[in-house]
Every structure is written in structure tokens, then in C-alpha cells.
Amino acid sequence: PPAHHLLHSGYSNDTLRRWQSSNTELHPHNFVLPLFVTEDVSGEIPVVSMPGVSRYSIPALEQYLPSLLDDGLTSVLLFGVVPSARKDSVGSYSCAAGSPVVLAIKMIKTKFPSLTVICDVCLCAYTTHGHCGELHEDGSINNTASVNRITAQALAYAKAGADVVAPSDMMDGRVGAMKQALQREGLSGKVSVLSYAVKFSSSFYGPFRDAAESAPAFGDRRCYQLPLGSSGLAHRAAARDVAEGADMLMVKPGMPYLDLVRSVKDAFPHLPMFIYQVSGEYAMLHHGAAAGVFDLRKILSEVFTGMRRAGADVIISYYTPRVLRWLKEDHTAAGSPLL
Amino acid sequence: PPAHHLLHSGYSNDTLRRWQSSNTELHPHNFVLPLFVTEDVSGEIPVVSMPGVSRYSIPALEQYLPSLLDDGLTSVLLFGVVPSARKDSVGSYSCAAGSPVVLAIKMIKTKFPSLTVICDVCLCAYTTHGHCGELHEDGSINNTASVNRITAQALAYAKAGADVVAPSDMMDGRVGAMKQALQREGLSGKVSVLSYAVKFSSSFYGPFRDAAESAPAFGDRRCYQLPLGSSGLAHRAAARDVAEGADMLMVKPGMPYLDLVRSVKDAFPHLPMFIYQVSGEYAMLHHGAAAGVFDLRKILSEVFTGMRRAGADVIISYYTPRVLRWLKEDHTAAGSPLL
Amino acid sequence: PPAHHLLHSGYSNDTLRRWQSSNTELHPHNFVLPLFVTEDVSGEIPVVSMPGVSRYSIPALEQYLPSLLDDGLTSVLLFGVVPSARKDSVGSYSCAAGSPVVLAIKMIKTKFPSLTVICDVCLCAYTTHGHCGELHEDGSINNTASVNRITAQALAYAKAGADVVAPSDMMDGRVGAMKQALQREGLSGKVSVLSYAVKFSSSFYGPFRDAAESAPAFGDRRCYQLPLGSSGLAHRAAARDVAEGADMLMVKPGMPYLDLVRSVKDAFPHLPMFIYQVSGEYAMLHHGAAAGVFDLRKILSEVFTGMRRAGADVIISYYTPRVLRWLKEDHTAAGSPLL
Amino acid sequence: PPAHHLLHSGYSNDTLRRWQSSNTELHPHNFVLPLFVTEDVSGEIPVVSMPGVSRYSIPALEQYLPSLLDDGLTSVLLFGVVPSARKDSVGSYSCAAGSPVVLAIKMIKTKFPSLTVICDVCLCAYTTHGHCGELHEDGSINNTASVNRITAQALAYAKAGADVVAPSDMMDGRVGAMKQALQREGLSGKVSVLSYAVKFSSSFYGPFRDAAESAPAFGDRRCYQLPLGSSGLAHRAAARDVAEGADMLMVKPGMPYLDLVRSVKDAFPHLPMFIYQVSGEYAMLHHGAAAGVFDLRKILSEVFTGMRRAGADVIISYYTPRVLRWLKEDHTAAGSPLL
Amino acid sequence: PPAHHLLHSGYSNDTLRRWQSSNTELHPHNFVLPLFVTEDVSGEIPVVSMPGVSRYSIPALEQYLPSLLDDGLTSVLLFGVVPSARKDSVGSYSCAAGSPVVLAIKMIKTKFPSLTVICDVCLCAYTTHGHCGELHEDGSINNTASVNRITAQALAYAKAGADVVAPSDMMDGRVGAMKQALQREGLSGKVSVLSYAVKFSSSFYGPFRDAAESAPAFGDRRCYQLPLGSSGLAHRAAARDVAEGADMLMVKPGMPYLDLVRSVKDAFPHLPMFIYQVSGEYAMLHHGAAAGVFDLRKILSEVFTGMRRAGADVIISYYTPRVLRWLKEDHTAAGSPLL
Amino acid sequence: PPAHHLLHSGYSNDTLRRWQSSNTELHPHNFVLPLFVTEDVSGEIPVVSMPGVSRYSIPALEQYLPSLLDDGLTSVLLFGVVPSARKDSVGSYSCAAGSPVVLAIKMIKTKFPSLTVICDVCLCAYTTHGHCGELHEDGSINNTASVNRITAQALAYAKAGADVVAPSDMMDGRVGAMKQALQREGLSGKVSVLSYAVKFSSSFYGPFRDAAESAPAFGDRRCYQLPLGSSGLAHRAAARDVAEGADMLMVKPGMPYLDLVRSVKDAFPHLPMFIYQVSGEYAMLHHGAAAGVFDLRKILSEVFTGMRRAGADVIISYYTPRVLRWLKEDHTAAGSPLL
Ligand SMILES: [Zn+2]
Ligand SMILES: [Zn+2]
Ligand SMILES: [Zn+2]
Ligand SMILES: [Zn+2]
Ligand SMILES: [Zn+2]
Ligand SMILES: [Zn+2]
């Protein structure tokens, strides 16, 4: 072959391979840990469908976090889980001063002030019907009322000390509404908005709904979450949220949508790009490794490297505790920034 | 929000969602079935690590294919599996006139002439050391000798009647060598070259090596397969193969590399793009569904839709028989071209 | 020739040709049927200049639709036809609660709720002068009054249950006006706007004006429909409508403007692109086939494939009933998604 | 609407519309007339399937041309038509010194030296089987032999005085072969190559095969003419021919492939782009006008304007005599360069 | 040389050269005639510095135009010339109902309604200081006051019947102000804005200032006209005016700025591009021809062809009467659309 | 206007205007002086049609150069002028060891070794017929013989000490031939090739042919110089010469082709771009200034700034002596790099 068609020489040892893979390294700050917070008193309760993941009461959380910070944890993403009795048709408890998320924010900001707190903002865990917004009588989404409610929820978290509010509801116009509300309250300089801008109506969410007790009681979310095949709407949603002032963008789920991480990052290179490795991905990789299909550590290294290669700056993953531990071991042993 | 920031109206029913997902539909001709062909007499032998997948002798294959064609199968990808006794250090049996792949091509072209036959071209199933090329004494790849050998292998398949030869070895310059050899033999108008142009050194290949009995006896393939994080080399390899005359391109593995399907398709929009859902992906999805993480049919619909959305024209998958059956049922039932 | 200049091998059998033609397949959901709805009692009245096309009363329409749905029809585009007595200089009947289009929407949404209903929005069928807008005394277009009127017409259709309103009038600023009106009425999440953004002042519209009884009484439409040779205005009109919130775009006529389908789709890849095969195209193909110039089914397959290749996601065609029938036959017979 | 969304003012009178349509004007030199030349003695013989088109003997041609030149004709495209007795399996008469095309070239260059003579180069009118190349025994194309033969044919025309040779056969590598042969013969500075680079396997060719008596006796041309839906192969074929030295490019058929005129012209802006309005387009427009669907002159003005707008510099059309007459009348009457 | 490096064959005769020069043809509608209109009673007064150019009173203009229309004139650009007594420091006479430009518009629209009337909009001919805007006390431009004044001037012309208003002043924001004012007055659908977007502070304007009696009394225009070497500001000015709603763009002067015609047309392909061959260019070509350096007709053909090649759709030139006469002669003589 | 539409602030003083005009500065090394060298004994002979330009004998040249070097001259472009007796049909004296150009090179390299010597390479000054190449019997160009001859001419200059050979003949393939010949002679490391790649068949060359006594005796140069309107051939010629190894590119003439300077420089940004202000431009500017149309120094400043703005790195101009003097004065006076 012509000399300029020879490529092997470019990746014939580990150093060359690292140079060729620049900007796909994994560091502790590339990972965010999602946490399910309850008002339960029973402490830590395992989520059956997600082996290795639990829900925590505030005191249990206070006990759980120190070793994670010791391993390098820099940020958490909080989800509230409340009993049925707290739920109503408009999700009013989402804004309550005593909600588990508000309490968790206050505890963390007191005890572990260095930890960056991101709060998921959505109604589905607080409505009896399990939809992400308030509904019209005919069961369709009332977008205006929904945006007002989740804006109030975001403000409640912001006032409690959250660093980042992250609307996951996919209502039209909620990023702009939150930015304006934060500005009115004088919080716009302290609290940023991470938009779940590109969130698909996926079958990979099953185990999460078990964890968060948030499955819809009827219907589905296909009128606000994106159709699986639509890259056009994905780009338009990201563009819309950027125009409304989003500080960061997210693509969700993760691995099955790496193409959109790539093209959305290319379209909006100036915003940090988040990727959410969702519950179904977590469980699938767990069961694959358990069945001997692959080695868990090697496969996670490949999967996370791929997310970084696709353009993700930050990875939200339930595997974060294990990853932090492995990264720490690597540094102790050999100074390697690779998993 | 400003009226032009409202997106929900664009996907509020099934027809609108299909319009938004245009060109991600799944048809029978979007799928290729990989087949492991043996010279065994025992007929069909299940591959333990890939539940539902078997190796076939030629007669068993002849019995297996009719129902698949009946369901709409249009193309197969052949891999040969031979006993240790057939292997040597240079993989000479890869070019043998009586190799199982050559025999399978002849049988298929005689009995099922409408079926497009793609043949994987590589030495790893024919060498005692299990590497994809011939080696220098120091164990490193002898690129020139390797290219000569796999070009001979490709010619043997082309002469036997293969429609497409598909080099998976990642040696430098093999696409150009094959195109020239085909031209010399007067086969350049009938036989095309599908390049495994973007093939990574992945941990998702484990079960395949069991199926094809082709695991390397020592070392690994990181000096010819691409580093996991390198999109630069991936693009350069595709560009190189296009310049050497490749008729079609492939990205492998599939889902964990959707970002590269997107960016390579954007860079080379004029060539059909193939994606290989590899053995580890197959098994992982199988075990995830078996454990109740998700419904297999729904998750495959999402995964394959995502591959099409990312830019893949053709999907190579061990799930092809099930997909063809589902597509047929859909048409029979409701006229829907979606899975 | 150099080996990489050989192309024949890439399309030497049917499967290869399909891979090379990926994303030009024709499915039922790629087609929309335009329907002329009257308040006549006489049922179905053939349109002389468009052999095979009729105008329908509401009851006749109710009888006509079931077999089409059975063949896979997913969407219709409604045009109203009213007697001269209903017309005035400002087209006020266009917004009437008892207009044939409003009645047709209600009937369809009651009897055939799965059918997506698109309504053409324009005044030309309701004005005595046959122009698409209200006029100043000097006969020139009164853009402000026209936009107000067609916005009211769009709202009437939206309230009656239309899924999509499609302004075809080419007035300046009507997309933005409609999106705002829909938002004010709380319909912005359910009703989308398909803009006839790129509509030329064509000689291919003749038979339609016969069908819709909407020919201008004096003058022509060259001051609001686009000049035939102007790709610049075409692009600027599309960009303007996207900025005003259009959910989908259309190029009209179809085949003679495929260059603009291509370049407008390239400029706005994230919106579904519609193409309207207009009455003159319909009649021309009919007469060509009748005279033996070509076979109708083959030529339609070529013409529609070309529209998809040029970038159209949805095709509005009077041939839709025949195409659906052919697609159904193909699937029954051979599983082929091609016409 | 915002003031910058107003477009009507940009095209409110005829002069403004012309400025908006700049570079789509039609001039005599934008048109080429295809001519069927026979060795018949009977003079002019009408082609039944193409009303208004005839085949000409050399003397009849000599009588026909003067009035066309008087109307502004600048270029013709010659096709030879020979009786069955002249045909054989390899099309050897295509290169004959006494073939009607060679004789026609000599007559024109003697009598009408200002006329630019383009010669179609292909075997299908000279082979008994009617295919565009020589065949292997199994009926497939022998590309090497075919390229040699049509290169000889091109040379015969070049030596007789042709200005442009135009290979329409779609064999791989024939443009390069012709440029090299012309260079060897010292004709490379005088004779240019117009490549039918983007020629589809269309159903619009029917009447032509009647005119040229060149229908294939068996099989079809789908292995060398392009698949209808493939813009990828179209672009690769154009790129290949440019790399081999083509002086001009063609897309064929015309109106149904305007999207490719646009995208190929954009990709190769530095070569004159030809478009061939083929026999089926000619007949379809004729029958449409005859049936009253539209006015022929208006519709041709729209169709040809569209071809220029799409990027065509030169239009090959059987309507050329009528167009030249109309252009002349316009200039005599009103100075207008529009049809 | 390699055969594909041979170019001579592509332009070896006149027809081929025209095909290679497609879209640079010159038509009557590509030319606009600038006219200086006075309130003088003396009729036609030659401009000494521009041999062959005169100033006209309204009656003289009425006598002058018929023969030009007979030769194909489609558009004029009007400049007013008033005596010192009409001037003041703010150019208030620019908006006067009885100004020569207003009277000329009314006369033309009455007597020659087919003629498209463009009006130069600027204050320099109406201010005692000769600057293009109103001034602050320190002699610097008062941009706000200036924009208000020239917007009023543009409205006066629009109300009098002008088709196009063309601000040449280079004040910031005047295009947007004019579009809004036209919209408020209901004239936005009839009157378009041609922006002198890219106007340099050139030494080629000398003779014009003599003709229009508009030389600045002190200082120069380098604070609002562009620096000679700045393509950056040129592009930013064009982008700004497009964003404010300009219907057409101009580059001025012409030949010395062809590079910017090319790059601005490439950046804004969707708007008609005007070029102004200014007074100094006119006079220089006149004196060059007079001195025997070149033949005037040949050199103008080359210069105007170059302007079209560079991307100009419309050429404003004092040579327009001669060009129209030559174009007419060419058509009468030989059917040639070239000068 | 919106704040980001305000541009005046960016160029409100001289320093800002310079920043906006970066890279258009004029330095001595941006200018090359063309010189006509004779074997005459009469010394300096004025060229009548180019006031201020003379032809020089070698001794006269030796006297003329010192003051120019003193003013900053860095490079000259040599043209030979010989009496009719030296001319023949093949231009054989072009390669003669005693030709005035060879003698001038040797004199300069001896006396003024710091001066970079560029030699025009063409036959037109040495052939009796005045064409730039050798001819076939029918008067057409013999490209092969011509390339051989001018390659010999280039070698003669290179061996005599020329730094740059500059073929101006527009024969196909001459750049490649010269590079190969220089390589064979071991001169390829010392002598570079400046291609007159983009040279049009212009009417601006008149006075030069007087100066060089090289007007064609019959016919014209339109078969090798480019058609005035063809930007396509211009780009293809530049691309061809770059592929053949040209070290630098030229566009000729200058001001009337600034659009091509821009687009060719954009296409080939990595080669120095030369522009030739030809004799007709020189004379036209001279007569314009003489007639009082503009001030010569100001207008040259504008014209040369424009050439630099368009992308020219080096300007070949007969005004070089005056420019160098002015630049020197500026530096002496005020340190300004502007003319
Ligand atoms: Zn939710
Ligand atoms: Zn291998
Ligand atoms: Zn209408
Ligand atoms: Zn043929
Ligand atoms: Zn002014
Ligand atoms: Zn010359």
C-alpha cells in the first residue's frame, strides 16, 4: 500500500495509544453519583432491580458519603422518593420545605460543603398518576401549569442550597422559566441549570421506576419524551434550551444514544455535556458480567471511554462508587489515568 | 415560552412520531445474519456463550436457510470454523478449496441464488496462534505477508461465488490489494469489498471467540485493532479504505460505538454503512431480558432504531431470525413497518 | 482503470442496490392523501381534469375512508370546496363553524380517531376574487388583514380537532401568528404547523383550481407565490418560517422542484420535509401512462423514490390510494418494502 | 411579523422577480438538439412514440439544419441508427468509417462548421443483444473489452471531426481510457469528453429505445446504470469521472433527478453541468399539454428554468427547435431573454 | 502530462467557451441607470467630469427616457441635486414633498409605470456641510438623528411610488429603521430596501461629487464609509443589514472591490447582489479608451463579464445607455446574448 | 438598532482602521518590477503606449538598477525583446545562450546578487507568428512540441542563474515538465516555478504587446488563455498546476480579476499568490490621473491595498519604482507602512 495508507505505526505501544485517545481519560470529576433519598427511618433499602444500589434516609446518607468523598466523589444527583400518602394529582409535595430532597441538600451543604449538589427536578415522583407534569382533564399535559410547578420546585431546591437544578420533565419552556425565576430571587449567579435536553422515551428506564416509585399509572410519556428515532427533535430541543439559557446539556439514556452525544456536542461545543447511564444500562451490564459475557471492570472501562470519546464531559452513573475505587487503586499502583 | 420554542405539538401522535423518525424504519434488507460454518458432520451445534446461536455443517445449513428466506432473509455473513488440525502458523487453510466457507458459498449459490453472500476474510480462525495475520519471529505482525495471504483468501471466496468479501483483519493496505486482485481476475464487476474499516480492540468480542474458536493464544490485538478512545484513527482508517476502493464501510462493535457510526457516515455519506452488533452485545441483551431488566422485543426495537438513526444502512446481528419473524408478524397484523 | 475507480461491483444484485438506496424506501406513513370536501349532498363528484379524483360530501367521505385505512392510510389533507354563495371579498366563511372542513374534521376525529388530520389553511376557496388573501382597494394584498383572517381559520380547524394546520397562502408572518394564537388557546401542545414555506407560482396547478374552484378571478399570484427561478427567496422563506416556529416544511410543486427539496432539507435537516405532488403532475403522469409512454406503477415508483432520495419524508399525492394498495400487495406477496 | 420577516417586497414586480431569478435565464447556447442519424435513403422518418421527432438520413439532415442555425442552434448531439444487419455481438460497426455518425460529422463540419458536434458513444445501437457493452458468456458485462471498444468508437468520431465525445455506457473507467487515447492521437487539445456520469436505470427511456432501435434483447441495464434511489453512487461516479479527466458532466434523466443536478453541481462547480431531458419526459409533457393539463410553452419555460436553477448550464432537449423559435420571437418582440 | 491535466479541449471553440462561462451573460435587466435629477429649468446639463453624463430636469428626463425604454431599460437609480439655498445643517429638504426626486418618481410612475424606480437615500446632497448624516457639535456623526432623518426621506420616496429605497449613508441601523417604518405605513409589501451594505471610503468617487454637488465641506467620510483594506467590516456590515431585513445588497465601488463581491455573494447567496461602477471607474475607462489603451466596447464587455463572474446580479453603470444599445444590435445582428 | 449592529465604533480612528485592515499593508518586498530587456545598443527606449516605461539594453539596465535597489527593490521579472530577424516559427531563439534574458540574468547575478530574478517563460516574443506555442500546420497549438520548447527555455534561464522561472504560455502540462527537467538537472532545489496559472484572454494586454513586440500575427489566444467569464477553468487550471508542483501561483490581469484572486487564494492558501497589474491597467490609471479623475498616489494606494485585501502576496507592477519611492518617503517622514 502507499506509505500514507499505513496506520499501525500510529498505535504500536501504550503511549501512542494514549496520545491517539486524548481527552477520553477518566477522572473522578468526570463522574456524578445519583442518589435516591427517602423520608423513611429504616436507613438503607436495596433496590431489587438494581443490584448494588440502595435508597437512603438522610441519616443513612450521612453515614454513606464519607468513604465516597474519600475515594474522590465530587458531585451527587438527588432524587426524592416519597410514600403514596404524600402524592396528589399536581405533585404539590415536590415544592415542600420538608421534602427529603430539601432536607438532604441542607444536610450535605452543612456536613460535606465541598460536594456539588445537583437536584433532579420533576413531578413524576410526587404525582399520583406518575406523569412528569400536571394534566388536563382529558389526560393530556397542561404545559403551563406544569412549568409553573416545576419552577417552584427548582426554586425550593435552589433556596435550600442546591448548586445545580436539573429539569428532567421535558415540558416546553421550563428552562427559560427557571432561569427567570432564579434571576428574580437573586440566585441566578449561584445556581445553574442542567437541562435534560435530549431525553428519549426509552425502554431502558424500567429499574429506575422501581427505585423511584415513579412509574406512570396509565398511558406513557411519549408525548413529552422524545421519539426513539428522532435526531431532528433532539437537536431542536437542545437548541431551544440553549436559547433559553441552559448552563449544561444532557443526553439520556447513554450508550444507546452515543450518536446524539456526538452530534449535539458538535452543535453546542461550548456547553458541558452530561450523559446519563440509566438504570437499564446499569442492570444489563451487571447481568452480562454475572453471566460471564465479559469482565465488568474491562467493559465499564470501554463503555465509559466511549462516552468520553463521543463528547461527554460528565457521566452520571450508578457505578460511580466502584469507578472511584478503581481509579484510586490505579493511581496507587501505577499512576494510570485509565480505568 | 415564545411560541417557536414549543415542540410537543410536533410529536403528539403515532403518525407525527413516525414523520419525526423518518429513515429509521427497519426492513428485512437492513439485516444480515452471521453464520458459523463447520466441516463437522454433527449438524447444528449450539454455541454455549451465545444462547440461541449455533454452528452449522453444510447440510445443516441447507436445512436451516429455507425458513429464513421465507421470513425475508436477503443476506448472510459467513465465518469458517475448523479443527486445530487444519491450523498452522500462516493460516494456509484459509485459502483452501475445500474449506467450509468455500463449500458453503457453493451450496448457497446453487440452492439459494437470491441470497447475497458476504464472507468474512481473516486468518485468526486458521492460525495456530489465533492472530489475524502472519507474524514475524518476534511475534509482531508481518503486514506484507498477511495482506498477501488474506488477498488469496478473498480471491478463493470470490471465485467460489461470494458477492462480497469483507476483510476484518485490520491489516494496512488490504482493501487496495483485494480490489486489484479482483480486477486482475476479472471479478471486479461482480464482487465488492466491505471493509471492517473501524474495528476496535473491544471486550465485547468474548463469546464470538468461543463460537469461532479463534481466541489469540498469546498477546492481544491492540496493535492492529483500534484503541478504544481513538476517533482520529477510526476516521483515518475509513478514509484510507475509501481511497483504496472499499465499496462499503463497517463500524464494529455496534451500540458502544454509535458516535463513530454517526461521524463516519457524515464523513462518507456516499457509501453504505454497516454496523456489527457483536457477540457480547447479543449476550448482554439476552441476559438483561432474561433477568427482567427489559422486554427483549422492545429493547431490540430501540437498539436497532438507534443504529439506523446513527446512520447505519445495514445491521449485522445474531438476532436477525427473530427480527425477520417480528417484521413479518407486524405486516401480517397491522401493516406497520416498525418492529 | 485504477481498482478504486470500479463501481459496478457495488450494485450488481437486488440486495446491493437496496443497500445503495437506503432510506428511499416507501412506507404507508410516507403518504398523505389530499381530499376535497364539499357541503354538497350529491356525494362523490369526479373532478374532470384529474381522472380518478373526486370531491366528497361528509357522508360520502365517511363511506370512502374505511377501505383506505384498511390499506394503511395514516393521514389526510383537507381542502374545502364551497358554492359561490358562501364566498365574499374577505373569505369570511373560511372561519365558519359549519364549513365543510370543520364538519369533516369532527366526523373523522369521531369515526376514525387514528387518522392524522392536516387542514390546508388559505382564503382562495372562500373569496369571490379567488386570491389567497384579503385585498387593498388597489387590488394588492393586505397582508395584515390576511394574516388575521387565516389565523382565525387555523384556530377554527384546531378547535374542531385538527392535528396539523397547514398555511398555503404565502402571506408574510402567518406561521408566527398561528403559533402564538394556538399558544393563547392552549392548543400549542396538540396542534402543529406545517408551513407551505417554499411554494412557487407554477403552471402545474391548473387542474387543482378546477377541483377546488379557486382560480383567481383577475390577476395572478406572482406577488405572494415565489418566482420560478428563485432559490434565494425559497431559502429565505424557509428560514423565516423556521424562525417563526414551523413544525414541518413543504416544497410545492414536487418533481419540478426536487433541487429545492434537497437544498432546503440540507439547510433544515431537523424538520420533517413534505413534498406536494400537485394536480398538474398527477394529470401529466396519468396521461403519459395512458398514451403508453411508460408503465404507471413503474414510473410512480421512480418518481416517489426520487422524492425520498431528494430528502422528502412525507409525500402528499393524489395517487396515495393506489400506492397503498400496491404496497399492501407487495407485502402480501413478497415482503418487499419497495413499490 | 418582525420587519425582517417580510419578503413580498422583494418580488413585487417583473424586474424584481428577474433579479431574484438571476442566472436562470435561457439563451440559445443553453440548448443542445439530439439527432438520430440513419443510413436510410428515405430521408426523414417520424418517431412514432415521440410526436414531432424524426430520424434523418445525411441528406435530409443537411436540409434540416439551416433553419435551425438561423434560429440560433449552436450544438447537436448525434445518435446513430443502423439496421439489424449491421449489428453483431460486440458492436463492431460502432467504430466503422462509414457509420452514419461518422458521415454526419463530416457533413456538418464541412457545411456548418460553426456547429459544435457532440457524439453519443455507446454500443447499444450496434449490438444484437442491445446492451451497452460487450458481454461475457454468462451474459454479464465484460468491462475491459467494452472500454476498449467504446474508446475506439470515440476515436473514430474524434478523427472525423467531432468536438465532444460523450460516453453514455456507464462502464467503469471509460473516461480515463478515452482521454488517454485522445492524447496519444494528438487530439486531446481539440476534443473534449462529456461524461454521462450520473445516469440512472430509469423508466423514462422507453420512447428513445424506439427511436434508436436499441432496446436490450434480454435482461436490463441495472448492473451498469445507477439504482434509482442511490445518490451515493451518483456522487462517486461523478467524482471518479472528474478524476479521470472528464471536461463536462451530465445528469440523466432530467426533471426527476433535479436533486442530483443540484448536489453534483455543488460538489463540482468548476465543470459545465449538462442535463438530458429524456424521451419519456418529452412525451409526457407533450401528452399533458395535448390533454389540456397545461400550456406547453408555459410549462416548458417552468421546467427549463427549474433545470437552470438546479445548476444545469446546458440542456439537451428534443424541444430545442421550438425553444429556439420562441426565444427568437421574444427578442424580436420585446427584448426579453425569458422564454 | 497525465490525460486528466489537459484543459485546452474544454474551451477550443466559441460554444465551449460560452458553456464554460455560463451565468456571466449580460441582459438588459442586469443593468440599472443612475440619473441626476435637478429642479433646474435648463433641462439637460452635462457633467464636465463625466463625459457623456448629464443632470436632468423633470421635463428633460421625460424626454430622455423613451428611447432608453425602447432599448430595454428596466430600472433607474435616482439622485437629487439641489441648489445651495435648499441645504441646511440637517438636510431637511431631503424629505420635502417637492424635492426633485419625489417629483421625478411621480412623473416616472405616471408616464413609464413599467420602469422600476430605485432611490438613493442619503443626506449629503442636502446638507450644507456635505456629510451623509447629521452632526454633533464636535463634528462627529449623530447616528440616531441621522437614522431618523433618512428614514423619513425613505418614507417620502416610498409614498411617492418608489419601488426600492437604497440607503447609501452607512449609518448604523438604518436598514432596520426603514423596514419598520415601511411596515408601519403599510408599504412593506411593495417597497424593498437595497442596502449599500459594503461601501468603501474610496478615491474613485471624485467625479460623482461634482455631478451631485455633494462633496464634504470639511473632513472626510472615513468614520462611516469602510476602510479600504477591511474585508472583515465589509462582511459584518452585510450580515448586519441582512439581519435587519435588507432585500438586496450592494458593493461599491465595483471593479476595485470584486473580491468582496465574490465573498459577500458566497456568504449571502440568497439575496440579489448589486455592484456600483462608480464615477471614477466610468471616467477612467473613458479616458483609457480615448487614449487608445483599449477599445471601449471590448473593455466594457470584459469588465461587466467580470462583475457577473464575481457574483453580481445587477450592475449600476453610467454606461447603461450604450450597453443597452449594443445588446440590441447584437440580437438584431446575430442572436448573441454577449455584449 | 440592537447594540451588536453598531459598527462605527470599530473604525473611528486611524489605528482602529489599520487593525481592521490587517495584512493589507504594502512593503517593498510586496512588489516586483517587470523589465523589458533588449539586445539593442541604444540603451533606454521609451515604450510609447506606457508612459514612464522603457526597454533597456544590458548596459542601460546596469545603470538603471542601483537607484531602485537603493529604494528597496527586491525582485524583477525579465522579458526579452528581440528583432524580427531572431524570430522563427518555433521560437528557437528563446533557448539561445546569447539571448538578452540570459545575458541579463548573468549581469544581475554578478552585479546585484541580492536581487531575486524571475524570468517570464514563453515563446510569443520569439516566434514569427507571435503565438505562445509552436503550431500545427492548421494553425492550432502543438502542445507537446510547445511544452518541450518552453521547458528548454526555462532550463536555459535556470542554468544562467534565474531564481524563478515563470511560464506564461498556458500550455497544458508545462509546470510538471519544468519541475521534472529542473530535477533532472539538479536545479530543483534552487529554482522555483511561478505559474501564470490563471491568465485570461484579456483586452488589457494591448500596450504590453507594443512593449514586447509580441502581438500575434493572426488569430488570437483564446484557445489557450482562459475565457473571460470562466471561474471554473481558472480553478481547474490552478488545481492542475498545484498538482504538477507549482511553487507559486499568479492571477493575470489584476484589478478586473480580484474575485479570482480571492477564490483561488482561498482554495490554495498555502502557496504565495502573485497578481500582475498589466499594461492596460497601468495605462488606464495613468490617463485617469492625467485627466484629473483622481490623484495617482491615492488611487494606487487604494488599488494595491485592494489587491492585498483580495489575497495577493506579491504584486507585479510597472508602478513599482514610484511605489518604492513613496514607501521610502513615508518611512522617512512618519514611519507609516501605508502608501
Ligand atoms: Zn419525570
Ligand atoms: Zn481476525
Ligand atoms: Zn390559496
Ligand atoms: Zn447504451
Ligand atoms: Zn451620502
Ligand atoms: Zn506568450
Side-chain angles (χ1 to χ4, degrees), chain A residues 40-57:
Chain A
D40 235 318
V41 293
S42 45
E44 178 183 342
I45 308 168
V47 178
V48 175
S49 59
M50 300 173 69
V53 175
S54 295
R55 291 192 288 259
Y56 295 87
S57 65

Side-chain angles (χ1 to χ4, degrees), chain D residues 120-125 130-133 168-169 199 214 221 224-225:
Chain D
D120 182 87
V121 175
C122 196
L123 302 185
C124 53
H131 277 282
C132 300
S168 64
D169 55 294
K199 182 182 180 184
S214 64
R221 291 168 175 158
Y224 41 104
Q225 294 179 355

Side-chain angles (χ1 to χ4, degrees), chain A residues 10-337:
Chain A
Y11 55 109
S12 59
N13 69 35
D14 267 349
T15 296
L16 291 177
R17 281 191 285 271
R18 286 193 187 179
W19 289 350
Q20 297 283 5
S21 305
S22 191
N23 297 332
T24 65
E25 296 86 356
L26 303 173
H27 317 90
H29 64 266
N30 294 125
F31 289 86
V32 170
L33 175 63
L35 287 170
F36 299 101
V37 187
T38 68
E39 46 186 20
D40 235 318
V41 293
S42 45
E44 178 183 342
I45 308 168
V47 178
V48 175
S49 59
M50 300 173 69
V53 175
S54 295
R55 291 192 288 259
Y56 295 87
S57 65
I58 310 292
L61 191 58
E62 193 174 338
Q63 292 201 307
Y64 179 47
L65 286 173
S67 71
L68 291 171
L69 271 93
D70 199 46
D71 284 351
L73 184 72
T74 63
S75 178
V76 294
L77 168 61
L78 303 184
F79 292 90
V81 188
V82 299
S84 304
R86 295 289 196 201
K87 304 187 182 186
D88 58 24
S89 69
V90 299
S92 53
Y93 199 65
S94 64
C95 319
S99 80
V101 171
V102 166
L103 298 179
I105 297 167
K106 290 181 172 170
M107 181 277 287
I108 294 172
K109 282 297 165 187
T110 307
K111 299 293 174 55
F112 314 102
S114 73
L115 204 55
T116 294
V117 177
I118 311 172
C119 294
D120 181 87
V121 175
C122 196
L123 302 185
C124 54
Y126 301 96
T127 53
T128 40
H129 47 69
H131 277 282
C132 300
E134 299 187 22
L135 303 180
H136 288 296
E137 292 207 351
D138 65 358
S140 67
I141 287 287
N142 183 334
N143 195 82
T144 305
S146 302
V147 167
N148 289 342
R149 179 79 57 186
I150 57 173
T151 299
Q153 181 185 12
L155 263 190
Y157 297 164
K159 288 176 179 171
D163 299 290
V164 183
V165 290
S168 64
D169 56 295
M170 291 300 282
M171 296 301 121
D172 282 337
R174 86 286 200 214
V175 170
M178 281 179 199
K179 292 292 286 190
Q180 285 163 20
L182 289 169
Q183 189 178 22
R184 273 195 309 273
E185 298 289 332
L187 291 163
S188 54
K190 295 180 189 155
V191 181
S192 55
V193 177
L194 159 60
S195 174
Y196 284 70
V198 179
K199 182 181 179 184
F200 288 89
S201 173
S202 171
S203 294
F204 281 101
Y205 299 150
F208 175 91
R209 290 173 187 171
D210 175 20
E213 300 179 351
S214 64
F218 58 88
D220 55 46
R221 292 168 174 158
R222 291 187 297 166
C223 289
Y224 42 103
Q225 294 180 356
L226 298 174
L228 307 178
S230 177
S231 52
L233 285 168
H235 273 265
R236 292 174 62 203
R240 188 256 321 263
D241 288 359
V242 170
E244 293 187 1
D247 296 285
M248 306 138 187
L249 294 176
M250 191 195 296
V251 170
K252 178 183 177 186
M255 186 163 57
Y257 295 86
L258 285 187
D259 55 316
L260 282 161
V261 176
R262 178 73 277 152
S263 61
V264 173
K265 180 69 178 181
D266 286 349
F268 303 101
H270 303 317
L271 284 84
M273 170 63 73
F274 285 62
I275 189 171
Y276 199 135
Q277 185 186 50
V278 302
S279 60
E281 297 176 78
Y282 173 86
M284 169 180 78
L285 291 165
H286 169 88
H287 292 297
V293 176
F294 35 60
D295 173 74
L296 183 62
R297 186 165 175 174
K298 280 190 185 164
I299 214 71
L300 287 177
S301 172
E302 180 166 354
V303 167
F304 291 138
T305 297
M307 290 174 171
R308 295 273 291 130
R309 180 193 65 227
D313 300 298
V314 185
I315 297 165
I316 301 170
S317 170
Y318 304 100
Y319 284 117
T320 293
R322 260 168 286 188
V323 171
L324 294 175
R325 175 64 49 97
W326 288 330
L327 287 174
K328 195 180 184 184
E329 287 171 15
D330 278 351
H331 279 299
T332 309
S336 160

Side-chain angles (χ1 to χ4, degrees), chain F residues 214-268:
Chain F
S214 64
F218 59 87
D220 55 44
R221 290 167 176 160
R222 291 187 298 164
C223 288
Y224 43 103
Q225 294 180 356
L226 298 174
L228 307 178
S230 177
S231 52
L233 285 168
H235 273 265
R236 292 174 63 203
R240 188 256 319 266
D241 288 0
V242 170
E244 292 187 2
D247 296 285
M248 307 139 186
L249 294 177
M250 191 195 296
V251 169
K252 178 182 177 186
M255 186 163 57
Y257 294 85
L258 285 187
D259 55 316
L260 282 161
V261 176
R262 178 73 277 151
S263 62
V264 173
K265 180 68 177 181
D266 285 350
F268 303 101

